[in-house]
PDB file of all heavy atoms in Angstrom:
ATOM      1  N   TYR A  61       9.875  -9.836  -6.179  1.00 98.00           N
ATOM      2  CA  TYR A  61       8.709 -10.674  -6.150  1.00 98.00           C
ATOM      3  C   TYR A  61       9.199 -11.917  -5.449  1.00 98.00           C
ATOM      4  O   TYR A  61      10.018 -12.544  -5.778  1.00 98.00           O
ATOM      5  CB  TYR A  61       8.406 -11.098  -7.583  1.00 98.00           C
ATOM      6  CG  TYR A  61       7.141 -11.958  -7.849  1.00 98.00           C
ATOM      7  CD1 TYR A  61       5.952 -11.433  -8.125  1.00 98.00           C
ATOM      8  CD2 TYR A  61       7.200 -13.307  -7.510  1.00 98.00           C
ATOM      9  CE1 TYR A  61       4.782 -12.091  -8.432  1.00 98.00           C
ATOM     10  CE2 TYR A  61       6.065 -14.090  -7.815  1.00 98.00           C
ATOM     11  CZ  TYR A  61       4.947 -13.504  -8.157  1.00 98.00           C
ATOM     12  OH  TYR A  61       3.733 -14.312  -8.292  1.00 98.00           O
ATOM     13  N   SER A  76      -0.883 -12.493 -14.049  1.00 98.00           N
ATOM     14  CA  SER A  76      -1.799 -11.640 -13.404  1.00 98.00           C
ATOM     15  C   SER A  76      -1.049 -10.617 -12.460  1.00 98.00           C
ATOM     16  O   SER A  76      -1.475  -9.559 -12.422  1.00 98.00           O
ATOM     17  CB  SER A  76      -2.708 -12.653 -12.478  1.00 98.00           C
ATOM     18  OG  SER A  76      -3.586 -11.727 -11.729  1.00 98.00           O
ATOM     19  N   LEU A  78       2.160  -9.661 -12.934  1.00 98.00           N
ATOM     20  CA  LEU A  78       2.812  -8.709 -13.715  1.00 98.00           C
ATOM     21  C   LEU A  78       1.884  -7.631 -14.326  1.00 98.00           C
ATOM     22  O   LEU A  78       2.320  -6.417 -14.316  1.00 98.00           O
ATOM     23  CB  LEU A  78       3.583  -9.395 -14.820  1.00 98.00           C
ATOM     24  CG  LEU A  78       4.757 -10.264 -14.344  1.00 98.00           C
ATOM     25  CD1 LEU A  78       5.503 -10.982 -15.551  1.00 98.00           C
ATOM     26  CD2 LEU A  78       5.804  -9.386 -13.665  1.00 98.00           C
ATOM     27  N   ALA A  82       2.301  -3.784 -13.665  1.00 98.00           N
ATOM     28  CA  ALA A  82       2.515  -2.843 -14.779  1.00 98.00           C
ATOM     29  C   ALA A  82       1.469  -1.737 -14.800  1.00 98.00           C
ATOM     30  O   ALA A  82       1.836  -0.522 -15.160  1.00 98.00           O
ATOM     31  CB  ALA A  82       2.433  -3.716 -16.081  1.00 98.00           C
ATOM     32  N   GLY A  89       7.518   7.413 -13.212  1.00 97.00           N
ATOM     33  CA  GLY A  89       8.823   7.796 -13.610  1.00 97.00           C
ATOM     34  C   GLY A  89       9.828   7.460 -12.551  1.00 97.00           C
ATOM     35  O   GLY A  89      11.066   7.367 -12.886  1.00 97.00           O
ATOM     36  N   ALA A  95      16.924   0.457 -20.268  1.00 97.00           N
ATOM     37  CA  ALA A  95      16.628   0.554 -21.693  1.00 97.00           C
ATOM     38  C   ALA A  95      15.072   0.727 -21.854  1.00 97.00           C
ATOM     39  O   ALA A  95      14.424   0.195 -22.681  1.00 97.00           O
ATOM     40  CB  ALA A  95      17.005  -0.665 -22.534  1.00 97.00           C
ATOM     41  N   ILE A 100      12.050  -6.039 -12.600  1.00 98.00           N
ATOM     42  CA  ILE A 100      11.582  -6.749 -11.435  1.00 98.00           C
ATOM     43  C   ILE A 100      12.588  -7.801 -11.183  1.00 98.00           C
ATOM     44  O   ILE A 100      12.993  -8.482 -11.999  1.00 98.00           O
ATOM     45  CB  ILE A 100      10.168  -7.258 -11.670  1.00 98.00           C
ATOM     46  CG1 ILE A 100       9.561  -7.920 -10.562  1.00 98.00           C
ATOM     47  CG2 ILE A 100      10.137  -8.327 -12.940  1.00 98.00           C
ATOM     48  CD1 ILE A 100       7.994  -8.048 -10.559  1.00 98.00           C
ATOM     49  N   SER A 109      14.886 -24.836 -10.622  1.00 97.00           N
ATOM     50  CA  SER A 109      15.629 -25.301 -11.826  1.00 97.00           C
ATOM     51  C   SER A 109      15.201 -24.629 -12.951  1.00 97.00           C
ATOM     52  O   SER A 109      14.460 -23.663 -12.957  1.00 97.00           O
ATOM     53  CB  SER A 109      15.311 -26.805 -11.910  1.00 97.00           C
ATOM     54  OG  SER A 109      13.858 -27.073 -12.218  1.00 97.00           O
ATOM     55  N   ASP A 114      11.791 -21.146 -17.219  1.00 98.00           N
ATOM     56  CA  ASP A 114      10.906 -21.208 -18.332  1.00 98.00           C
ATOM     57  C   ASP A 114       9.397 -20.502 -17.974  1.00 98.00           C
ATOM     58  O   ASP A 114       8.956 -19.800 -18.869  1.00 98.00           O
ATOM     59  CB  ASP A 114      10.461 -22.774 -18.560  1.00 98.00           C
ATOM     60  CG  ASP A 114      11.695 -23.493 -19.063  1.00 98.00           C
ATOM     61  OD1 ASP A 114      12.566 -22.957 -19.606  1.00 98.00           O
ATOM     62  OD2 ASP A 114      11.678 -24.764 -18.916  1.00 98.00           O
ATOM     63  N   SER A 133      21.289 -23.803  -8.939  1.00 96.00           N
ATOM     64  CA  SER A 133      22.384 -24.695  -9.686  1.00 96.00           C
ATOM     65  C   SER A 133      22.041 -25.061 -11.077  1.00 96.00           C
ATOM     66  O   SER A 133      21.042 -25.363 -11.347  1.00 96.00           O
ATOM     67  CB  SER A 133      22.342 -25.972  -8.745  1.00 96.00           C
ATOM     68  OG  SER A 133      23.395 -26.810  -9.274  1.00 96.00           O
ATOM     69  N   ASN A 143      16.679 -11.501 -18.449  1.00 98.00           N
ATOM     70  CA  ASN A 143      17.547 -10.437 -18.839  1.00 98.00           C
ATOM     71  C   ASN A 143      18.826 -10.463 -17.928  1.00 98.00           C
ATOM     72  O   ASN A 143      19.955 -10.048 -18.279  1.00 98.00           O
ATOM     73  CB  ASN A 143      16.924  -9.139 -18.742  1.00 98.00           C
ATOM     74  CG  ASN A 143      15.670  -9.071 -19.643  1.00 98.00           C
ATOM     75  OD1 ASN A 143      14.560  -9.245 -19.291  1.00 98.00           O
ATOM     76  ND2 ASN A 143      15.895  -8.942 -20.960  1.00 98.00           N
ATOM     77  N   HIS A 146      20.602 -12.726 -10.341  1.00 98.00           N
ATOM     78  CA  HIS A 146      21.175 -12.332  -9.015  1.00 98.00           C
ATOM     79  C   HIS A 146      21.105 -13.319  -8.035  1.00 98.00           C
ATOM     80  O   HIS A 146      20.360 -14.395  -8.057  1.00 98.00           O
ATOM     81  CB  HIS A 146      20.432 -11.109  -8.594  1.00 98.00           C
ATOM     82  CG  HIS A 146      19.202 -11.428  -7.918  1.00 98.00           C
ATOM     83  ND1 HIS A 146      18.047 -11.862  -8.532  1.00 98.00           N
ATOM     84  CD2 HIS A 146      18.705 -11.550  -6.578  1.00 98.00           C
ATOM     85  CE1 HIS A 146      17.210 -12.115  -7.763  1.00 98.00           C
ATOM     86  NE2 HIS A 146      17.425 -11.985  -6.585  1.00 98.00           N
ATOM     87  N   GLN A 157      28.130 -13.327  -9.416  1.00 97.00           N
ATOM     88  CA  GLN A 157      27.530 -14.023 -10.480  1.00 97.00           C
ATOM     89  C   GLN A 157      27.839 -13.065 -11.740  1.00 97.00           C
ATOM     90  O   GLN A 157      26.900 -12.768 -12.412  1.00 97.00           O
ATOM     91  CB  GLN A 157      25.994 -13.972 -10.045  1.00 97.00           C
ATOM     92  CG  GLN A 157      25.718 -14.832  -8.846  1.00 97.00           C
ATOM     93  CD  GLN A 157      26.027 -16.287  -8.916  1.00 97.00           C
ATOM     94  OE1 GLN A 157      25.960 -16.964  -9.949  1.00 97.00           O
ATOM     95  NE2 GLN A 157      26.420 -16.926  -7.758  1.00 97.00           N
ATOM     96  N   SER A 161      25.669 -10.100 -11.494  1.00 98.00           N
ATOM     97  CA  SER A 161      25.476  -9.474 -10.267  1.00 98.00           C
ATOM     98  C   SER A 161      26.681  -9.789  -9.304  1.00 98.00           C
ATOM     99  O   SER A 161      27.458 -10.731  -9.562  1.00 98.00           O
ATOM    100  CB  SER A 161      24.176  -9.887  -9.591  1.00 98.00           C
ATOM    101  OG  SER A 161      24.233 -11.205  -9.244  1.00 98.00           O
ATOM    102  N   SER A 163      26.844  -9.414  -4.987  1.00 98.00           N
ATOM    103  CA  SER A 163      26.215  -8.983  -3.747  1.00 98.00           C
ATOM    104  C   SER A 163      27.124  -9.163  -2.662  1.00 98.00           C
ATOM    105  O   SER A 163      27.915 -10.020  -2.404  1.00 98.00           O
ATOM    106  CB  SER A 163      24.943  -9.747  -3.524  1.00 98.00           C
ATOM    107  OG  SER A 163      24.749 -10.806  -4.279  1.00 98.00           O
ATOM    108  N   ILE A 192      32.705  -3.293  -6.491  1.00 97.00           N
ATOM    109  CA  ILE A 192      32.986  -2.186  -7.452  1.00 97.00           C
ATOM    110  C   ILE A 192      33.897  -2.575  -8.603  1.00 97.00           C
ATOM    111  O   ILE A 192      33.672  -2.481  -9.813  1.00 97.00           O
ATOM    112  CB  ILE A 192      33.359  -0.924  -6.744  1.00 97.00           C
ATOM    113  CG1 ILE A 192      32.398  -0.372  -5.817  1.00 97.00           C
ATOM    114  CG2 ILE A 192      33.825   0.109  -7.803  1.00 97.00           C
ATOM    115  CD1 ILE A 192      32.813   0.720  -4.852  1.00 97.00           C
ATOM    116  N   GLY A 193      34.945  -3.285  -8.249  1.00 97.00           N
ATOM    117  CA  GLY A 193      35.840  -3.800  -9.223  1.00 97.00           C
ATOM    118  C   GLY A 193      35.303  -4.848 -10.131  1.00 97.00           C
ATOM    119  O   GLY A 193      35.944  -5.131 -11.135  1.00 97.00           O
ATOM    120  N   TRP A 223      29.346   1.346   8.225  1.00 94.00           N
ATOM    121  CA  TRP A 223      28.910   0.512   7.105  1.00 94.00           C
ATOM    122  C   TRP A 223      28.447   1.211   6.001  1.00 94.00           C
ATOM    123  O   TRP A 223      28.810   0.947   4.877  1.00 94.00           O
ATOM    124  CB  TRP A 223      27.902  -0.438   7.725  1.00 94.00           C
ATOM    125  CG  TRP A 223      28.267  -1.121   8.924  1.00 94.00           C
ATOM    126  CD1 TRP A 223      28.169  -0.687  10.294  1.00 94.00           C
ATOM    127  CD2 TRP A 223      29.218  -2.336   8.996  1.00 94.00           C
ATOM    128  NE1 TRP A 223      28.761  -1.519  11.161  1.00 94.00           N
ATOM    129  CE2 TRP A 223      29.445  -2.560  10.370  1.00 94.00           C
ATOM    130  CE3 TRP A 223      29.714  -3.155   8.154  1.00 94.00           C
ATOM    131  CZ2 TRP A 223      30.195  -3.650  10.790  1.00 94.00           C
ATOM    132  CZ3 TRP A 223      30.456  -4.257   8.545  1.00 94.00           C
ATOM    133  CH2 TRP A 223      30.693  -4.462   9.844  1.00 94.00           C
ATOM    134  N   LEU A 227      30.318   2.333   1.984  1.00 95.00           N
ATOM    135  CA  LEU A 227      29.742   2.395   0.535  1.00 95.00           C
ATOM    136  C   LEU A 227      29.920   3.688  -0.092  1.00 95.00           C
ATOM    137  O   LEU A 227      30.187   3.864  -1.359  1.00 95.00           O
ATOM    138  CB  LEU A 227      28.184   2.091   0.709  1.00 95.00           C
ATOM    139  CG  LEU A 227      27.870   0.645   1.054  1.00 95.00           C
ATOM    140  CD1 LEU A 227      26.357   0.609   1.445  1.00 95.00           C
ATOM    141  CD2 LEU A 227      28.295  -0.243  -0.044  1.00 95.00           C
ATOM    142  N   THR A 229      32.351   5.865   0.411  1.00 95.00           N
ATOM    143  CA  THR A 229      33.719   6.019   0.086  1.00 95.00           C
ATOM    144  C   THR A 229      34.325   4.837  -0.808  1.00 95.00           C
ATOM    145  O   THR A 229      35.556   4.810  -0.975  1.00 95.00           O
ATOM    146  CB  THR A 229      34.523   6.201   1.263  1.00 95.00           C
ATOM    147  OG1 THR A 229      34.465   4.959   2.074  1.00 95.00           O
ATOM    148  CG2 THR A 229      34.000   7.307   2.161  1.00 95.00           C
TER     149      THR A 229
END
Side-chain angles (χ1 to χ4, degrees):
Y61 185 99
S76 175
L78 291 177
I100 188 161
S109 63
D114 292 341
S133 181
N143 302 100
H146 76 287
Q157 302 294 327
S161 66
S163 10
I192 293 166
W223 305 90
L227 290 168
T229 62

